[in-house]
């Protein structure tokens, strides 16, 4: 979201580094009130082609009236009607999966996909998008960050209903972004069978990402399969984490679940 770069950066103390790509424990969020993560798509599937990923994290103020939170989510969801995104989802963060994620306190997530960087720019600059950010997002959020990357996406543009999504945003040590992205690319061939789709890449919008220069998104058939992964693939996952840990300064890991898309009228 190009217009979000004007939102003030809220400084936070650095937390001890953890990189649980697929950990077995999680801390549920409590407030503000959440609605189910909601998705929409204007295209059923996309082949293995370059796809632009756009992820925005929001920290809604705890004192916000629930009706205003609902209005923010529903208005963000309505942006699929612009017919620019091939996929758009907006809703609550289900769980914080890393120390940095808990410290940052992000409460909501927007995830959308585009055919090109030009399409993402058109979405960001569209008057409807600008108005929603100004009227429904900025007044109730204490913090916002966004990360964009280009991925070779296999499978559907819209994750199926009931899928679990794990988002990992990595802040590499100085000069390590390319090496981290390459390490993740090599790890893709060893992805556990429970992962139905992987997306990763280097961020191309540094002004809005707060130093989190690598994005990684894994889709699972269900939340239960995501939760069961750590026990079933412990050795493999530990080997991946051992490779990437020396390259990282910090990492944000969050989970969400994809429900049925909204009604056509939305």
């Amino acid at each position: 979201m190009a217009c979000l770069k004007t939102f003030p950066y809220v400084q936070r103390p650095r937390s001890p580094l953890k990189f649980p790509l697929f950990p077995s424990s999680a801390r549920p969020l409590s407030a503000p009130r959440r609605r189910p993560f909601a998705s929409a798509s204007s295209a059923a599937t996309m082949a293995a082609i370059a796809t632009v990923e756009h992820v925005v994290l929001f920290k809604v103020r705890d004192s916000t009236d629930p009706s205003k939170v609902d209005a923010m989510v529903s208005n963000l969801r309505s942006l699929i009607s612009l017919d620019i995104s091939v996929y758009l989802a907006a809703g609550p963060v289900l769980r914080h999966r890393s120390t940095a994620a808990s410290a940052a306190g992000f409460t909501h997530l927007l995830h959308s996909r585009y055919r090109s960087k030009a399409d993402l720019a058109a979405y960001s600059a569209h008057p409807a998008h600008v108005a929603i950010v100004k009227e429904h997002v900025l007044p109730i959020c204490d913090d916002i960050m966004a990360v964009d990357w280009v991925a070779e996406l296999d499978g559907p543009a819209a994750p199926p209903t009931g899928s679990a999504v794990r988002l990992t945003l990595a802040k590499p040590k100085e000069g390590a972004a390319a090496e981290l992205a390459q390490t993740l690319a090599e790890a893709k061939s060893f992805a556990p069978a429970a992962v139905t789709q992987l997306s990763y890449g280097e961020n191309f919008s540094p002004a809005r990402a707060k130093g989190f220069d690598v994005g990684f998104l894994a889709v699972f058939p269900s939340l239960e399969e995501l939760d069961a992964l750590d026990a079933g693939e412990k050795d493999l996952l530990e080997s991946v984490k051992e490779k990437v840990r020396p390259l990282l300064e910090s990492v944000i890991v969050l989970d969400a679940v994809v429900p049925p898309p909204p009604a056509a009228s939305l």
Side-chain angles (χ1 to χ4, degrees), residues 34-64:
R34 314 294 200 270
R35 297 196 314 178
F37 190 81
S39 65
S41 175
S42 61
T45 61
M46 292 182 67
I49 60 173
T51 301
V52 175
E53 299 275 24
H54 176 60
V55 173
V56 185
L57 296 176
F58 310 86
K59 182 181 180 182
V60 173
R61 196 170 299 115
D62 287 344
S63 60
T64 302

Side-chain angles (χ1 to χ4, degrees), residues 7-13 59 141-144 210:
F7 193 83
Y9 185 108
V10 178
Q11 293 284 351
R12 303 183 186 282
K59 182 181 180 182
C141 288
D142 283 335
D143 197 8
I144 300 174
K210 303 181 180 181

Side-chain angles (χ1 to χ4, degrees), residues 55-141:
V55 173
V56 185
L57 296 176
F58 310 86
K59 182 181 180 182
V60 173
R61 196 170 299 115
D62 287 344
S63 60
T64 302
D65 187 285
S67 65
K68 293 184 178 181
V69 180
D70 289 345
M72 180 189 79
V73 172
S74 62
N75 276 277
L76 289 172
R77 291 174 61 193
S78 73
L79 291 170
I80 191 65
S81 65
L82 300 180
D83 201 27
I84 302 173
S85 310
V86 297
Y87 169 73
L88 188 148
V93 170
L94 175 65
R95 300 181 295 203
H96 294 148
R97 288 284 196 166
S98 69
T99 300
S102 297
F106 290 113
T107 60
H108 289 76
L109 163 72
L110 181 143
H111 174 215
S112 53
R113 287 170 166 168
Y114 303 85
R115 297 179 181 87
S116 67
K117 292 181 181 180
D119 282 355
L120 173 57
Y123 159 85
S124 298
H126 195 284
H129 170 260
V130 174
I132 287 171
V133 171
K134 181 178 180 181
E135 297 171 16
H136 297 284
V137 177
L138 296 181
I140 67 172
C141 288

